[in-house]
Amino acid sequence: QMRAVGDVARAAGLVALVEFVRSSPFLHDLPTALQLVRDAGHPNVAVLFDCYHFWSTTGTLDQLALVRRGEVRHVHVQDVPDVPRAQLDSSTRVMPGDGVAPLVETVRALRATGYDGPLSLELFLPQFVTRDPYTLAVDARHAVEALIALQYTRREAERAVTDALRAHPGIEAVEELLRTVLEQRAPA
């Protein structure tokens, strides 16, 4: 079935991403997601790697060596609090750096597989929903930038930003608009 999904995705100019989810009885870990993608054998089917689901289940750094170039196309970053795995659920995700997951090593291992795509922050804690959006955005940006800073030299980071801007024309306008809005919201 996933090969057919890949055909539909290709026709739409998309890539279908398979995300393993800790609570799924079918697709709950990285090895299962990789096998599903490999069985599909389609260039428009890949893995969405979620750090929370990886580290809140049976994930290990050794498992990341199983990933082949191009199999992971997107990464969600968030941290895992220091509580027993059985007590974790989607509402226990925390900002990168506020938990115990080895995020630096995780992103480095993914980069070693050839992954150079986006890192997106995904959080569900009620405290994030009720916080001031500007303050939350600033804190989120600092947390993700700190994680990225540990991955790249300055030259690599500048090249990654330049490549992202080339790959997504028009993002500069969105970034400028966001910067303008954030500057207007910034405390005096």
Side-chain angles (χ1 to χ4, degrees):
Q1 300 280 21
M2 289 306 294
R3 186 154 186 80
V5 170
D7 289 339
V8 171
R10 179 176 43 211
L14 302 171
V15 174
L17 297 176
V18 175
E19 181 177 9
F20 56 95
V21 178
R22 66 172 272 136
S23 60
S24 170
F26 172 67
L27 187 60
H28 69 279
D29 62 15
L30 177 61
T32 305
L34 290 172
Q35 190 60 53
L36 185 69
V37 166
R38 290 171 186 166
D39 288 349
H42 198 291
N44 291 70
V45 177
V47 173
L48 185 158
F49 183 91
D50 187 297
C51 291
Y52 172 80
H53 290 299
F54 185 71
W55 287 112
S56 66
T57 59
T58 57
T60 66
L61 285 171
D62 291 339
Q63 285 180 356
L64 296 173
L66 300 172
V67 176
R68 298 176 191 154
R69 181 177 292 277
E71 289 183 325
V72 171
R73 301 276 184 90
H74 192 87
V75 174
H76 285 166
V77 293
Q78 62 283 101
D79 218 330
V80 179
D82 190 11
V83 299
R85 286 182 175 184
Q87 294 177 10
L88 296 171
D89 62 29
S90 286
S91 69
T92 56
R93 301 168 190 228
V94 295
M95 288 275 191
D98 288 349
V100 296
L103 295 179
V104 171
E105 293 84 354
T106 302
V107 175
R108 282 184 184 151
L110 288 168
R111 285 187 65 217
T113 71
Y115 181 76
D116 65 352
L119 301 176
S120 66
L121 184 63
E122 182 180 52
L123 301 168
F124 298 114
L125 277 174
Q127 74 187 45
F128 296 122
V129 175
T130 59
R131 284 188 56 194
D132 171 66
Y134 174 78
T135 305
L136 177 60
V138 169
D139 291 348
R141 180 178 180 173
H142 290 164
V144 173
E145 283 178 344
L147 177 61
I148 292 170
L150 295 171
Q151 306 305 312
Y152 298 96
T153 65
R154 181 174 177 84
R155 179 174 289 160
E156 288 173 326
E158 288 171 353
R159 185 172 46 241
V161 169
T162 301
D163 290 348
L165 291 174
R166 267 194 224 120
H168 303 285
I171 198 168
E172 293 148 327
V174 172
E175 184 178 350
E176 186 59 35
L177 176 62
L178 178 60
R179 184 177 294 115
T180 301
V181 169
L182 292 178
E183 286 172 359
Q184 291 171 354
R185 297 269 331 261

